[in-house]
Amino acid sequence: MTTTPTASERAAAQAYLRLVETARAVLADPGLAPAAGVYLASPLAEADEALRRAGFAGNEARLLRLAAGLRDDTVPDAS
């Protein structure tokens, strides 16, 4: 059964993906990796707040399904 994500769930999944993509880019570049904390502080704070607003604490499985759907562009728009 497919459920449509709420706007806050979609925002949380998008913030999570931005964090993952930023972390990959920073850690893949030997010049940026030593300063990873500086580069990741903002996306980490954004993701943390979005996850809290969406109530994903303890519901990581749903978050990961939504994030995978966004990557595959299969999650319907919640608006």
Side-chain angles (χ1 to χ4, degrees):
M1 179 172 128
T2 301
T3 58
T4 302
T6 65
S8 62
E9 289 174 336
R10 185 177 186 86
Q14 289 170 330
Y16 166 78
L17 288 175
R18 281 191 293 277
L19 173 60
V20 169
E21 290 165 2
T22 303
R24 283 183 180 160
V26 167
L27 297 175
D29 184 333
L32 296 178
V38 172
Y39 290 105
L40 296 175
S42 179
L44 182 58
E46 176 196 13
D48 188 47
E49 177 60 20
L51 293 168
R52 186 194 62 72
R53 273 193 313 258
F56 275 120
N59 197 0
E60 293 81 6
R62 176 147 168 79
L63 168 66
L64 294 175
R65 281 193 307 275
L66 287 171
L70 287 172
R71 273 260 164 103
D72 298 336
D73 199 29
T74 57
V75 174
D77 189 7
S79 56

